Amino acid sequence: MNSSDGAAVVVGVDGSEPASRAVRLAATEATRRQRPLRVVHGFIWPLLHVPLTAPAGGGLREQAEQIVAAAVAEAETSAPGVRVTGEIIDGEASAVLLGETVTAAMIVLGDRGLGGFSALVVGSVAIQVASYADCPVLVARGAPRTDGPVVVGVDGSESSVLALGFAADTAAARGAELLAVHAYRHPISTGPGDMQPLVYDEAQLHGEEERVLAESLAGLADRYPELHVTRHAVRARPGKALTEASRTAQLVVVGGQGRGEFTGLLLGSVSQSVLHHADCPVAVVRGPR
């Protein structure tokens, strides 16, 4: 994430209803974080050598300009006082937004766009941007809420450390409770070649996982003395546990890849599960590429 004062919250728009929800969410985030808001539209048609004007007027370029102008107007209405700018950039939507992540404080986008297949819960643009972004990606999905906790998935991995920091900052800025969820299923291996025991003590396992969660949160109270933090260690699939927590949350925050997931995956299975099924907006936090 670019933490410089001039770094903007960037929202991708395409004229769809999910993009409109993303604009409203981005405007709220820009207000909370006291940052400018940048509206971006990826204009792919020139790359396909499609004529940009129609005989009766109202060509593709004019339509793109209308999409951006409408989004800027909606953002200005949602967030009076926030500096809002808009730009049309030639290129495919995912590539355009990923280019913005290098200098953006955050990327906000809808869960699906105009070209999304109806069978997909989350569109390919959201998945691609969340997989490769150099800054946090906030996906507008589910029910927008101003109450409820900010939920973060914690598993002790480097990725979840980044997610926890973002979630704590966000919860503090919103005056919300931070709910740290640690889901586990089996005893973990402690080194190469270790085998999981066939029989283990459930209470002992829960105690060990509680310690993992407590260690991950160590020092948080010193950095955020007024932040109310609730810990929840539960035996369950992480994706399912976080999805259930999203039903009463205002935001769910996940890392790009968790402990035990294949290192070759750009976006872990837990993050993808939450993106597809959460009942509130989801933030995916990855480290720089």
Side-chain angles (χ1 to χ4, degrees):
M1 177 174 62
N2 190 329
S3 59
S4 65
D5 292 339
V9 173
V10 176
V11 58
V13 298
D14 63 1
S16 65
E17 175 53 32
S20 183
R21 294 199 303 268
V23 168
R24 295 190 292 271
L25 181 60
T28 301
E29 286 300 312
T31 300
R32 286 180 177 136
R33 298 173 185 275
Q34 298 182 328
R35 292 188 176 276
L37 177 60
R38 176 170 159 80
V39 176
V40 172
H41 173 71
F43 191 56
I44 194 172
W45 301 111
L47 304 184
L48 303 179
H49 305 290
V50 174
L52 302 184
T53 58
L60 295 172
R61 175 67 67 173
E62 287 80 5
Q63 292 177 25
E65 291 172 350
Q66 291 170 11
I67 287 172
V68 172
V72 168
E74 184 169 21
E76 290 174 337
T77 300
S78 300
V82 171
R83 182 167 63 89
V84 184
T85 58
E87 184 175 1
I88 299 170
I89 301 176
D90 290 352
E92 189 272 331
S94 298
V96 167
L97 291 172
L98 285 170
E100 295 287 317
T101 69
V102 179
T103 56
M106 174 191 298
I107 296 289
V108 185
L109 66 165
D111 55 350
R112 291 179 56 221
L114 287 174
F117 294 101
S118 60
L120 297 178
V121 182
V122 173
S124 60
V125 173
I127 293 295
Q128 288 180 49
V129 176
S131 298
Y132 290 93
D134 283 329
C135 69
V137 175
L138 180 58
V139 179
R141 61 163 293 110
R145 301 187 186 95
T146 56
D147 58 350
V150 171
V151 174
V152 59
V154 177
D155 64 4
S157 67
E158 180 180 353
S159 183
S160 80
V161 170
L162 297 174
L164 178 60
F166 177 88
D169 283 339
T170 301
R174 297 185 180 194
E177 171 195 356
L178 178 64
L179 174 58
V181 176
H182 174 59
Y184 62 93
R185 299 194 66 207
H186 304 291
I188 62 172
S189 299
T190 58
D194 281 0
M195 295 183 63
Q196 295 179 350
L198 297 177
V199 179
Y200 49 85
D201 184 271
E202 181 66 34
Q204 181 180 355
L205 173 62
H206 184 76
E208 292 172 352
E209 298 296 340
E210 284 272 16
R211 283 190 290 275
V212 170
L213 178 55
E215 290 171 0
S216 297
L217 301 178
L220 202 63
D222 295 332
R223 298 195 300 275
Y224 303 92
E226 297 183 358
L227 179 62
H228 178 63
V229 181
T230 299
R231 302 189 315 222
H232 181 51
V234 58
R235 182 167 180 172
R237 292 182 181 274
K240 182 179 180 181
L242 291 169
T243 297
E244 289 180 354
S246 75
R247 293 172 183 167
T248 56
Q250 56 180 283
L251 176 69
V252 173
V253 183
V254 292
Q257 187 181 82
R259 183 180 65 182
E261 295 189 311
F262 295 108
T263 56
L265 296 176
L266 291 165
L267 190 65
S269 59
V270 174
S271 303
Q272 293 201 46
S273 175
V274 176
L275 275 174
H276 282 290
H277 301 293
D279 192 40
C280 69
V282 177
V284 179
V285 183
R286 300 178 65 255
R289 281 171 286 176

